[in-house]
Amino acid sequence: MMKKYKLISTVLALGLCMPFGLFTTSCEDMLEEKPYDFISPGEIENSDGGADMWVIGVYNVLHTGMFIYGSFPRPLDYDCDYISGAVWQFSEFGSGNFQGGSAQCNALWTGMYSLINKANQAIAQIEGMTGPTEVHKKNCLGECYFLKAWAYFYLARAYGDIPVYSVSVNESGSYTDNPRIPVKQVYEEQIIPLLDKAKDMIYKNTDGAYVPGRVSAASAAGLLAKVYATMGAASTPASEQVTVKTGVPYVIQNINGVDTKIYTDPVATTFSKNVVAGYESFDPRICYENAYQLASDVIEGVYGNHELVAYDNLWTAIGKTSSEFLFSLQSLSGDSSFGTLFGLHYCGRLNNKGHVDNSLTVGMRKHWYLLFEEKDYRVDKGVLHCWIREGSDSSWGGGSYYPNFGKWKSMVDAKEPPFDNPEVTAGWRSDEGGSEQFFAYTTKYSQQISDQTLERMDANYPFLRYADVVLIKAEAANELNGPTQEAVDALNDVRSRSNATLKELDVFANKASLRSAILEERAMEFALEGDRRWDLIRWGIYLQAMNALGGMDEANNVKARQEKHLLFPIPTMEMLTNQAITSNNPGWN
């Protein structure tokens, strides 16, 4: 058994078997029949499966270049208004020091460029293959185009002007002289053409050859809709307004002679947006027309059959490869390369008593929680309402719960299940968010995990969901003609799935009010899925929303931001190596 596991791990590391849980059995069967731990290029180049193996090598960079050491998803999640947690966990990056010693945001640059380089290698190899059928070869090339476009999309949003590479570094022989290309060109010459080709090349999820867990035609069309929505929002005139529920997390009041923290409710605050630098020359109407058409095509089945999965199935192990997940990081429980570490921080590691014995240190703030009705599944079922921390709880016979208001407080007082736990002999404790140990911790990942006692878990991180496409349609319909019933219906499709009260068209007085409701819905639906920062950035309200917190959140993470924070700094090593880049992004040295 040990030898077999070693062989499987080695093959995975070589990119010859997909670490998606999907191919594990087939790999084991293959290895049982042919017990070797290396497959040479000569053995796979001209086989029909050779193209697949090169594509899988590109997917694997998501792990080897980004997630393996726990760098991700920090650059995607930690820098926004609604997320908080332990100060030591958020470190320099989460407090706005993007060039701190932990260099957490550098992984976005190095990881995405590693993926682009691997995709370029794969494209060159696949194009020369004669073994695969033309249909399968086209699908594999389409997947590579998608992955390149996806990487460039992140890079352009995070860094602005960036270098582009049409071939691998090995093929070009050049790495030290690659200038930055303007954002507009990156979109028009790389991201859009790549996705436009990919959506017509990749298998639909209804095709017999499609493998669940890999991207489909709808993944490319959906991502292209998101790209156009990003361009449309970023180029929308500065006179437009967006309302966000926000404010300082607490005020200090003198109660009986003692200065006491009083936690606040969020206040609807209206911001005038800024046009995002680099996006000024895009036509927002044309962008939203394209976003609307692409999102509509995905919803209407042009690119396969996709749906909003029932909430109770969505975040389960069997839901990982459902039609809602258009593109996700796939993972393997306990594996040193393909098990993920973010589950440790978002879900906590459990001991054999079911107590949290490590981390559980990243969650959502009270202001986010109060966006919801109590009956909304996304907080009723989607938030961890009680837990026991080994030591800090178990040492005194206590337990922890969240939130300290509403029905959950009433259930604690009445000792209703799950607060009738016989282990909790001394009572339950809570805090609305003033301690780094009490936040709205999501259950969306913990429900996927097969063994939460392990450090490396099999939680899948979603990069694009069908729900995103539905809300993009709502956004595009509103920006084009809103507020409209069509836009509200799309918004309600997502709300209905989560048992939220449906919205009525007549409550939206103008386009800005529905725009704000859709942006808020995105904050609710995609919490800890790497979208909030980019939504604030594209709508030109990132600085206003971050600084509305008054400098710090409940746990003393610094939330004050300056103009320089609109873009990540280019890594120092890139500045030293690439002679064509002579200056960093504004405000960074």
Side-chain angles (χ1 to χ4, degrees):
M1 180 63 72
M2 289 295 291
K3 180 174 170 120
K4 181 166 141 183
Y5 180 79
K6 174 183 177 295
L7 294 174
I8 294 169
S9 298
T10 305
V11 173
L12 286 168
L14 289 167
L16 302 177
C17 175
M18 204 170 192
F20 287 12
L22 301 165
F23 294 166
T24 305
T25 301
S26 61
C27 285
E28 289 181 359
D29 293 342
M30 177 189 75
L31 290 167
E32 286 290 326
E33 295 171 7
K34 189 173 183 180
Y36 52 64
D37 59 0
F38 179 75
I39 302 176
S40 69
E43 291 179 276
I44 64 173
E45 270 185 354
N46 293 317
S47 69
D48 197 54
D52 273 324
M53 293 181 181
W54 279 103
V55 176
I56 291 162
V58 185
Y59 281 112
N60 284 352
V61 176
L62 294 172
H63 285 278
T64 59
M66 301 179 211
F67 279 83
I68 189 170
Y69 297 118
S71 299
F72 270 71
R74 294 178 183 186
L76 309 183
D77 279 333
Y78 285 18
D79 181 48
C80 74
D81 53 346
Y82 285 141
I83 296 172
S84 187
V87 171
W88 63 264
Q89 178 67 45
F90 276 65
S91 188
E92 301 114 333
F93 174 77
S95 288
N97 183 5
F98 295 171
Q99 287 183 317
S102 58
Q104 289 173 359
C105 72
N106 286 0
L108 185 64
W109 179 282
T110 57
M112 292 301 178
Y113 275 115
S114 293
L115 187 148
I116 289 166
N117 190 61
K118 190 71 172 180
N120 283 332
Q121 289 179 321
I123 289 167
Q125 292 293 329
I126 295 167
E127 285 178 339
M129 288 183 180
T130 58
T133 65
E134 284 304 308
V135 171
H136 190 62
K137 184 174 178 179
K138 186 169 72 169
N139 171 77
C140 290
L141 288 171
E143 289 185 81
C144 292
Y145 295 158
F146 170 89
L147 291 164
K148 275 185 67 175
W150 176 80
Y152 279 130
F153 183 42
Y154 271 101
L155 289 165
R157 289 185 296 173
Y159 298 95
D161 300 349
I162 53 170
V164 298
Y165 297 87
S166 57
V167 297
S168 71
V169 172
N170 288 345
E171 185 175 342
S172 69
S174 172
Y175 179 73
T176 59
D177 189 26
N178 292 279
R180 299 171 74 181
I181 305 301
V183 166
K184 181 177 173 64
Q185 284 182 246
V186 177
Y187 278 97
E188 293 182 340
E189 297 175 11
Q190 297 293 326
I191 299 170
I192 293 172
L194 285 167
L195 289 173
D196 197 43
K197 288 188 290 186
K199 68 183 174 57
D200 298 319
M201 297 173 70
I202 305 174
Y203 294 135
K204 300 175 184 178
N205 70 340
T206 50
D207 291 336
Y210 171 71
V211 177
R214 288 170 68 166
V215 298
S216 67
S219 308
L223 183 59
L224 187 52
K226 188 166 186 170
V227 165
Y228 278 120
T230 297
M231 295 160 58
S235 59
T236 294
S239 58
E240 293 292 330
Q241 296 184 322
V242 184
T243 299
V244 176
K245 291 175 184 172
T246 185
V248 296
Y250 60 87
V251 294
I252 302 296
Q253 290 185 4
N254 187 287
I255 300 177
N256 298 324
V258 178
D259 286 343
T260 306
K261 277 185 179 181
I262 305 297
Y263 302 108
T264 64
D265 291 350
V267 177
T269 307
T270 299
F271 304 122
S272 293
K273 77 176 293 292
N274 298 312
V275 176
V276 181
Y279 294 77
E280 301 91 342
S281 62
F282 290 124
D283 184 324
R285 184 163 191 89
I286 291 175
C287 291
Y288 272 118
E289 286 172 350
N290 288 326
Y292 174 85
Q293 188 59 58
L294 285 156
S296 297
D297 286 347
V298 172
I299 292 167
E300 292 165 13
V302 173
Y303 296 100
N305 292 336
H306 296 268
E307 64 179 353
L308 292 168
V309 175
Y311 189 87
D312 285 344
N313 295 328
L314 178 62
W315 297 108
T316 64
I318 61 171
K320 286 181 178 182
T321 54
S322 68
S323 68
E324 173 140 357
F325 291 96
L326 299 179
F327 180 35
S328 297
L329 176 84
Q330 307 289 326
S331 55
L332 194 60
S333 179
D335 190 270
S336 59
S337 296
F338 302 110
T340 56
L341 290 171
F342 76 88
L344 189 68
H345 311 305
Y346 290 17
C347 311
R349 188 182 69 189
L350 304 182
N351 60 20
N352 58 11
K353 294 179 285 188
H355 299 172
V356 177
D357 72 355
N358 198 344
S359 206
L360 187 63
T361 46
V362 178
M364 306 304 295
R365 299 178 53 241
K366 180 186 177 185
H367 282 189
W368 173 84
Y369 192 95
L370 289 174
L371 300 176
F372 297 86
E373 306 161 273
E374 276 196 333
K375 69 173 187 174
D376 194 310
Y377 294 153
R378 291 170 295 190
V379 288
D380 185 28
K381 302 178 181 183
V383 165
L384 183 64
H385 290 290
C386 62
W387 61 93
I388 298 174
R389 290 188 187 270
E390 189 65 43
S392 62
D393 284 328
S394 61
S395 62
W396 59 280
S400 295
Y401 74 97
Y402 186 93
N404 190 24
F405 52 83
K407 76 171 188 178
W408 297 99
K409 178 66 165 63
S410 300
M411 291 167 69
V412 169
D413 292 341
K415 293 189 166 92
E416 295 178 21
F419 301 107
D420 58 348
N421 188 330
E423 287 188 81
V424 182
T425 56
W428 295 87
R429 61 176 186 149
S430 187
D431 189 318
E432 290 183 352
S435 163
E436 64 182 29
Q437 295 195 46
F438 297 93
F439 282 95
Y441 299 115
T442 184
T443 64
K444 61 175 59 170
Y445 297 116
S446 58
Q447 293 177 71
Q448 299 179 340
I449 295 168
S450 58
D451 187 349
Q452 207 172 328
T453 66
L454 300 176
E455 186 171 81
R456 289 194 175 270
M457 304 175 190
D458 54 348
N460 284 8
Y461 191 84
F463 300 120
L464 182 65
R465 286 201 278 129
Y466 178 72
D468 202 344
V469 178
V470 175
L471 289 177
I472 287 168
K473 180 177 179 178
E475 180 180 317
N478 180 58
E479 295 304 320
L480 291 171
N481 303 302
T484 65
Q485 188 62 53
E486 182 181 35
V488 173
D489 286 345
L491 172 63
N492 281 336
D493 284 343
V494 174
R495 292 182 62 79
S496 176
R497 190 255 298 274
S498 294
N499 196 41
T501 300
L502 303 185
K503 302 285 189 180
E504 298 291 339
L505 176 60
D506 59 11
V507 306
F508 299 109
N510 50 39
K511 183 185 295 185
S513 61
L514 182 50
R515 171 191 298 143
S516 301
I518 293 167
L519 184 62
E520 181 176 293
E521 198 68 32
R522 293 183 60 84
M524 297 159 72
E525 180 69 22
F526 305 120
L528 288 170
E529 294 183 48
D531 263 322
R532 181 63 175 175
R533 171 186 160 87
W534 313 116
D535 276 348
L536 296 176
I537 290 283
R538 72 186 177 96
W539 275 112
I541 60 167
Y542 165 82
L543 292 178
Q544 299 98 307
M546 294 295 285
N547 289 326
L549 274 65
M552 285 190 171
D553 65 20
E554 300 90 327
N556 296 321
N557 290 295
V558 177
K559 292 292 185 180
R561 296 294 185 266
Q562 306 167 32
E563 289 281 340
K564 70 177 184 177
H565 292 103
L566 292 168
L567 295 173
F568 287 172
I570 296 171
T572 301
M573 187 57 68
E574 180 73 16
M575 297 293 299
L576 294 173
T577 306
N578 189 346
Q579 301 304 306
I581 300 179
T582 57
S583 62
N584 211 321
N585 279 326
W588 304 108
N589 53 40

